[in-house]
Amino acid sequence: MGKLVSTIFVTLDGVYQAPGGPEEDTRDGFQQGGWSFPYADDDFGRFVTGVFDRVGAFLLGRFTYDIFASYWPKVTDPDDPIAGPLNGLPKYVPSATLTDPGWSGTTVLRGDLAKEVTALKERTDGELQLHGSGALARSLLGLGLVDTVHLLTFPVVLGAGRRFFADGIVPTAFRRTGGSVTASGVSIQSYDVAGRPEYGTFALPEED
């Protein structure tokens, strides 16, 4: 069975909305899109390229799919380490409203999310990768279907925007499997999902 791997960019205050450009996602009046751009150095590029080297198929939320579909098909170099896989490999989009996707290789998932994604993992050679797609990633974490999270934390605080680990997310424990910090200060940490949190106390024992 393939692994479901989520790669997500967040700020220090947990915002994942619109890292790539000013017009990418202006929902809720968000005006700070493009916040990841100043930190995109060679270290960052090497990590992202390495992630795409392991992909077998993509699972994308509807909003992220629309953003990707408006850009990546225009990058026609088949040897491009990002565009090549995105344009050539299968893409799956859970959506009740996407009816006629124009991006080649796209399949719309309309059934039960847990069953559909479980079946995808079983038949995907390589990683089934989820990029961005914060709402979908949270849902899949809650369903216990995410195996690995690459969390890239950028050294910036925005004070507004949609948070990835929002209130109400299913409590989840992680086990760190690796990480690094780029020259521009992006903390790249990889975690495997490790079930539910455990709890304890630092309180001193009561005396008899």
Side-chain angles (χ1 to χ4, degrees):
M1 177 185 287
K3 291 175 60 178
L4 177 55
V5 179
S6 169
T7 300
I8 191 86
F9 300 172
V10 299
T11 65
L12 287 173
D13 53 339
V15 175
Y16 74 92
Q17 188 173 359
E23 305 304 321
E24 182 179 302
D25 182 0
T26 57
R27 288 177 295 177
D28 308 320
F30 188 64
Q31 297 180 346
Q32 301 184 73
W35 46 265
S36 75
F37 180 80
Y39 307 99
D41 60 8
D42 289 344
D43 294 336
F44 173 81
R46 277 191 292 271
F47 175 81
V48 172
T49 298
V51 170
F52 276 82
D53 283 345
R54 300 187 293 272
V55 67
F58 296 95
L59 179 65
L60 300 170
R62 171 64 193 276
F63 203 85
T64 299
Y65 174 82
D66 286 345
I67 293 168
F68 280 18
S70 70
Y71 179 82
W72 288 110
K74 300 173 185 175
V75 183
T76 56
D77 179 2
D79 295 325
D80 185 284
I82 310 299
L86 277 171
N87 290 322
L89 290 174
K91 294 164 285 288
Y92 299 94
V93 188
S95 175
T97 57
L98 181 62
T99 56
D100 188 22
W103 196 2
S104 175
T106 300
T107 299
V108 180
L109 305 179
R110 302 199 188 280
D112 178 82
L113 182 63
K115 291 180 180 178
E116 294 272 16
V117 174
T118 298
L120 278 180
K121 290 174 66 174
E122 289 175 348
R123 67 174 185 260
T124 298
D125 292 326
E127 295 179 353
L128 177 62
Q129 291 188 356
L130 182 65
H131 292 272
S133 309
L136 178 59
R138 286 195 300 269
S139 295
L140 294 170
L141 276 168
L143 291 168
L145 291 174
V146 176
D147 297 291
T148 298
V149 175
H150 299 307
L151 186 70
L152 281 69
T153 304
F154 290 72
V156 61
V157 168
L158 300 181
R162 298 188 175 210
R163 267 71 171 177
F164 182 56
F165 293 117
D167 288 352
I169 195 167
V170 173
T172 305
F174 297 88
R175 179 178 63 255
R176 182 179 180 271
T177 57
S180 61
V181 179
T182 70
S184 65
V186 179
S187 175
I188 302 174
Q189 301 298 326
S190 299
Y191 303 96
D192 284 349
V193 175
R196 298 292 176 244
E198 298 179 358
Y199 304 93
T201 178
F202 287 105
L204 294 173
E206 294 184 9
E207 295 183 3
D208 293 336

